[in-house]
Amino acid sequence: MENEYKTALVTGASSGIGRAVAKQLASAGYRLVLVARREERLQALVKEFEPKTRCHILTCDLRESEAVRCALDGLPPDFRTIDVLVNNAGLAAGTEPAQNAEWNDWEEMISTNCMGLSNITHALLPGMVERNRGHVINIGSVAGTYAYRGGNAYGATKAFVEHFARGLKADLLGTAVRVSTIAPGMVGDCEFSLVRYRGDAEKAEAVYTDLEPLDPSAIAECVAWCVSRPAHVNILHMEVMATCQAPGGLSVSKTA
Ligand code: 8X3
């Protein structure tokens, strides 16, 4: 049986993977609620999509649960029934070893990647269950499965994202609501690395020189594929790496 999804909400829709997902879902005929903090960027996206795709913009900070609830309550009636929630908003900050990391960076990653994602999921899930229709798609990371140097708190937040989805799937058993996590590896052509290196463009670009990373559209295609599976098929986890990337294995130090 085909699913009957009509409206998708994408967080972090103003750039990178979120923007690419919004594009894919727009071309698949979805009505879109686009969430981000930067309104001008969302406006530009809406200009690109309309009139073919109906869009509604929500500018709010996902870390603030009251603000999230107010924003969702204020959605116009024909945007209120969210069928697909794409939990994409998130960031990595810093690559220092844990013992040298900035507390603010950890706090920002934990509050955005875990709290923000939980806030909006908590707000939208009951409606999906009530309608017995919906799909939560989390954008995780290979960093949530494979630990690497400097990945510390970022990897841990993505492990949360991954495991949270598995927990949701367990709780949603017996309903038609589906849950997926897509875990990308290196994705270029977006702000991920620039944010991680706090705006240092040289360092950010160096990560992707002499190799071919994924681009955001590769991940957006995975999202579109997951949501378009027949209603009885739930893709729980997809791990997607660039061909040039592989899990690194264990390290040993003889000086410790
Ligand atoms: C980031 C994945 O491989 O760039 O989510 O650390 S990687």
Side-chain angles (χ1 to χ4, degrees):
M1 194 182 78
E2 288 301 310
N3 68 59
E4 291 167 357
Y5 302 159
K6 290 188 177 64
T7 307
L9 182 149
V10 183
T11 70
S14 58
S15 66
I17 293 174
R19 190 172 193 280
V21 168
K23 269 189 168 182
Q24 276 281 340
L25 296 181
S27 56
Y30 278 82
R31 190 181 304 161
L32 295 175
V33 179
L34 304 169
V35 184
R37 281 179 289 180
R38 292 174 294 192
E39 188 170 354
E40 1 38 272
R41 295 246 189 153
L42 293 179
Q43 296 285 10
L45 206 53
V46 169
K47 273 207 182 117
E48 220 180 282
F49 294 161
E50 279 181 347
K52 196 165 164 266
T53 301
R54 296 195 54 214
C55 299
H56 186 84
I57 281 178
L58 282 188
T59 40
C60 71
D61 187 336
L62 293 172
R63 296 173 294 184
E64 290 165 20
S65 57
E66 273 313 304
V68 169
R69 272 176 199 277
C70 281
L72 294 173
D73 287 348
L75 282 173
D78 46 348
F79 286 91
R80 228 169 255 169
T81 306
I82 307 295
D83 301 311
V84 176
L85 163 62
V86 183
N87 277 322
N88 161 73
L91 78 153
T95 52
E96 292 78 15
Q99 58 275 26
N100 301 334
E102 300 280 345
W103 171 247
N104 287 348
D105 286 344
W106 284 15
E107 204 170 33
E108 195 183 1
M109 289 188 282
I110 294 166
S111 64
T112 306
N113 302 2
C114 304
M115 292 289 288
L117 178 142
S118 305
N119 265 338
I120 193 148
T121 307
H122 186 261
L124 292 177
L125 205 54
M128 289 184 177
V129 171
E130 204 177 296
R131 294 185 291 276
N132 201 30
R133 187 178 77 232
H135 198 151
V136 178
I137 304 213
N138 289 348
I139 304 300
S141 168
V142 297
T145 304
Y146 309 106
Y148 57 79
R149 285 165 163 247
N152 45 67
Y154 173 66
T157 65
K158 291 300 186 173
F160 171 92
V161 169
E162 177 72 48
H163 206 67
F164 186 47
R166 292 185 189 277
L168 294 181
K169 183 74 187 84
D171 290 346
L172 292 165
L173 184 65
T175 78
V177 180
R178 303 188 289 184
V179 187
S180 309
T181 302
I182 314 226
M186 298 178 91
V187 178
D189 201 18
C190 63
E191 293 172 334
F192 176 83
S193 197
L194 195 62
V195 172
R196 188 171 220 178
Y197 287 101
R198 303 181 188 90
D200 186 328
E202 209 174 311
K203 279 191 184 161
E205 276 161 30
V207 174
Y208 304 108
T209 49
D210 303 322
L211 56 84
E212 191 174 356
L214 300 168
D215 50 26
S217 65
I219 304 306
E221 281 165 17
C222 297
V223 171
W225 185 77
C226 284
V227 292
S228 61
R229 290 314 81 210
H232 69 289
V233 178
N234 187 137
I235 308 296
L236 189 50
H237 175 83
M238 276 177 94
E239 188 171 292
V240 191
M241 286 190 191
T243 308
C244 64
Q245 192 178 21
L250 299 173
S251 328
V252 173
S253 164
K254 294 201 176 187
T255 60

